[in-house]
Amino acid sequence: MREVRVLEIKQSVFADNDRQADLLRQDLKEKGVFLLNLMSSPGAGKTTTLMRTIEALKDTFKIGVMEADIDSDVDAQTISGAGAKVIQLHTGGMCHLDAEMTRQGLAGLQTDDVELAILENVGNLVCPAEFDTGAVKNAMILSVPEGDDKPLKYPLMFTICDVVLINKIDVMPYFDFDLEKCKEYIRMRNPNAKIIPICAKTGEGIEDWSKWLGEEVRSWHMTK
Amino acid sequence: MREVRVLEIKQSVFADNDRQADLLRQDLKEKGVFLLNLMSSPGAGKTTTLMRTIEALKDTFKIGVMEADIDSDVDAQTISGAGAKVIQLHTGGMCHLDAEMTRQGLAGLQTDDVELAILENVGNLVCPAEFDTGAVKNAMILSVPEGDDKPLKYPLMFTICDVVLINKIDVMPYFDFDLEKCKEYIRMRNPNAKIIPICAKTGEGIEDWSKWLGEEVRSWHMTK
């Protein structure tokens, strides 16, 4: 078992999270760090997708990963050694990260040499959607076994995401999942969301996803 | 599309939820209503499991179902006509139900003729675990595609549940899911939890589950 750094996150003292998030984004711009906030239900495949993303982009960008979890460090263990620096954040029962908590995580990660920082948020389709973390882009993963009706039931999450990855498409034959209907529901919530079907396990679709992410990182760095 | 009743739940004004939950349990005891709180991640199969549960127990108990959701009434639509009375609760963005919100739901459902009331909580493995709803028993569903490591990552949910249903066991061959390891992780959190593997889609394991639930309801009614 690898040794991973674990940071116990403290609850925020700031009432105005939106303002803190804007300040963090401004600081990150000055430091040249692109922050991606990755969200999903428990078990939708965030960590496996991250492994593939690091594999695809580690020669292009210096990557740092923050693994947020209520408890345990299994995800940071998995990520360590994949080619990115990583820190495990423990939220102490908290169901989401806000901008100030994300700032604590970035300080723990030490981002001086990081061009692309990725926050793996707590597995939860509800609360993380309500708190701007200061990220430049929000991404979410919806996995096929969860069902195609999730955009109807968790509207805010789909509304605030710039990109929706539909994961585990390899098991589509074993579930009642209508991809076109799902895309339609997502567009009802968010007509501008980029939708990319993937299979993190086999690597299918990862090229499209890492191309999208790479372009976002580059265009953001260029407008510095 | 069926017409279902929808109740907009108001935020609670009570600070001491544990006290409100005890009061609700006491009231339910007097009224002869057994309340089950059913929780899981989004898409783990709560509604399908409920359909099977109603089918198995509708001739034994008068059943009432509260479908809690942030938005939409797709679950109540599904349940209506299954042989139980049903009401859709909208939480207005709230990520869980507490005891006072559950009391509002029960009042909306009208439980005079109900012996077994089931609350389908918001799909979320974090926040609902922190709020006692006043239920007599807590049940949760963990589905195979979510992975066997979830008890490590969402400790409180597994700790507070009396029974854990492991759903979608029909797709076990397509996922890296170790049932024995999962049971071991659950027992680490909660040595007394009843663990029942099921497949709500095919009906496998539903007999064990409805037998367990039926006995709990009967023994609770007998100690009235």
Side-chain angles (χ1 to χ4, degrees), chain A residues 47-133:
Chain A
T47 311
T48 312
T49 303
L50 261 183
M51 292 288 284
R52 290 283 182 184
T53 309
I54 294 167
E55 195 183 310
L57 294 176
K58 69 180 176 184
D59 296 332
T60 315
F61 306 110
K62 289 171 198 140
I63 304 176
V65 172
M66 296 175 282
E67 288 289 339
D69 240 319
I70 290 169
D71 204 0
S72 95
D73 55 12
V74 289
D75 289 341
Q77 297 262 3
T78 307
I79 293 290
S80 69
K85 62 195 292 191
V86 62
I87 190 168
Q88 181 75 51
L89 312 181
H90 280 177
T91 66
M94 288 287 285
C95 50
H96 65 275
L97 290 192
D98 64 14
E100 165 55 19
M101 295 162 88
T102 305
R103 189 186 281 276
Q104 291 174 45
L106 288 161
L109 181 66
Q110 298 171 327
T111 54
D112 290 351
D113 58 347
V114 169
E115 293 161 306
L116 165 59
I118 305 177
L119 169 64
E120 184 181 322
N121 216 312
V122 180
N124 183 333
L125 280 194
V126 189
C127 318
E130 293 170 25
F131 294 88
D132 188 341
T133 57

Side-chain angles (χ1 to χ4, degrees), chain A residues 41-43 46-47 69-72 74-75 93-95 120 122-127 130 145-146 149-150 152-155 168 171 174-176 189 201, chain B residues 41-43 46-47 69-72 74-75 93-95 120 122-127 130 145-146 149-150 152-155 168 171 174-176 189 201:
Chain A
S41 295
K46 289 187 294 304
T47 311
D69 240 319
I70 290 169
D71 204 0
S72 95
V74 289
D75 289 341
M94 288 287 285
C95 50
E120 184 181 322
V122 180
N124 183 333
L125 280 194
V126 189
C127 318
E130 293 170 25
E146 292 172 73
D149 63 348
K150 292 300 158 289
L152 301 179
K153 298 168 86 176
Y154 302 90
K168 307 190 188 180
V171 296
Y174 313 112
F175 292 90
D176 300 326
R189 296 302 181 191
K201 200 165 142 188
Chain B
S41 296
K46 289 188 293 304
T47 311
D69 240 320
I70 291 169
D71 205 359
S72 95
V74 289
D75 289 341
M94 287 287 286
C95 49
E120 183 180 324
V122 180
N124 183 334
L125 280 195
V126 188
C127 318
E130 293 169 26
E146 292 172 74
D149 64 347
K150 291 300 159 289
L152 302 179
K153 300 167 85 176
Y154 303 90
K168 306 191 189 178
V171 295
Y174 313 113
F175 292 91
D176 300 327
R189 297 301 180 194
K201 198 166 143 188

Side-chain angles (χ1 to χ4, degrees), chain B residues 31-206:
Chain B
K31 287 181 186 154
V33 181
F34 179 102
L35 175 62
L36 177 81
N37 176 24
L38 181 60
M39 296 170 284
S40 81
S41 296
K46 289 188 293 304
T47 311
T48 312
T49 303
L50 261 182
M51 292 289 285
R52 290 282 181 184
T53 309
I54 294 166
E55 194 183 311
L57 294 176
K58 68 180 176 186
D59 297 332
T60 314
F61 306 110
K62 288 169 200 142
I63 304 175
V65 172
M66 295 175 282
E67 288 289 339
D69 240 320
I70 291 169
D71 205 359
S72 95
D73 55 10
V74 289
D75 289 341
Q77 297 261 4
T78 306
I79 293 290
S80 68
K85 58 196 292 190
V86 62
I87 190 167
Q88 180 76 50
L89 312 181
H90 279 176
T91 66
M94 287 287 286
C95 49
H96 65 275
L97 291 192
D98 63 16
E100 165 56 21
M101 295 161 88
T102 305
R103 190 186 280 277
Q104 292 174 43
L106 288 161
L109 182 65
Q110 297 171 328
T111 54
D112 290 351
D113 58 346
V114 169
E115 294 161 306
L116 166 59
I118 304 177
L119 168 64
E120 183 180 324
N121 216 311
V122 180
N124 183 334
L125 280 195
V126 188
C127 318
E130 293 169 26
F131 294 87
D132 188 342
T133 56
V136 183
K137 294 285 169 186
N138 289 317
M140 72 165 288
I141 302 174
L142 171 67
S143 63
V144 165
E146 292 172 74
D148 51 33
D149 64 347
K150 291 300 159 289
L152 302 179
K153 300 167 85 176
Y154 303 90
L156 188 62
M157 178 58 80
F158 288 85
T159 305
I160 61 136
C161 277
D162 301 286
V163 58
V164 179
L165 304 177
I166 301 180
N167 191 23
K168 306 191 189 178
I169 54 168
D170 59 323
V171 295
M172 198 115 57
Y174 313 113
F175 292 91
D176 300 327
F177 188 96
D178 184 330
L179 185 58
E180 290 313 309
K181 202 160 74 180
C182 185
K183 286 180 176 175
E184 190 186 308
Y185 291 152
I186 295 170
R187 288 197 193 101
M188 275 167 55
R189 297 301 180 194
N190 186 349
N192 301 317
K194 172 87 176 166
I195 303 170
I196 309 175
I198 65 165
C199 175
K201 198 166 143 188
T202 63
E204 199 180 337
I206 293 297

Side-chain angles (χ1 to χ4, degrees), chain A residues 130-218:
Chain A
E130 293 170 25
F131 294 88
D132 188 341
T133 57
V136 182
K137 293 287 167 182
N138 289 319
M140 72 164 290
I141 302 175
L142 170 67
S143 62
V144 164
E146 292 172 73
D148 51 33
D149 63 348
K150 292 300 158 289
L152 301 179
K153 298 168 86 176
Y154 302 90
L156 187 61
M157 179 58 80
F158 288 85
T159 306
I160 61 136
C161 277
D162 302 287
V163 58
V164 179
L165 304 178
I166 301 181
N167 192 23
K168 307 190 188 180
I169 53 168
D170 58 323
V171 296
M172 199 114 57
Y174 313 112
F175 292 90
D176 300 326
F177 188 96
D178 185 330
L179 185 59
E180 289 314 309
K181 202 160 73 181
C182 185
K183 285 180 177 176
E184 189 187 308
Y185 291 152
I186 294 170
R187 288 196 195 101
M188 272 167 58
R189 296 302 181 191
N190 186 348
N192 301 318
K194 172 88 178 167
I195 303 171
I196 309 175
I198 65 166
C199 175
K201 200 165 142 188
T202 63
E204 198 179 338
I206 293 296
E207 201 182 321
D208 282 358
W209 154 239
S210 49
K211 190 166 166 260
W212 181 89
L213 180 57
E215 279 167 12
E216 291 293 333
V217 177
R218 262 185 298 269

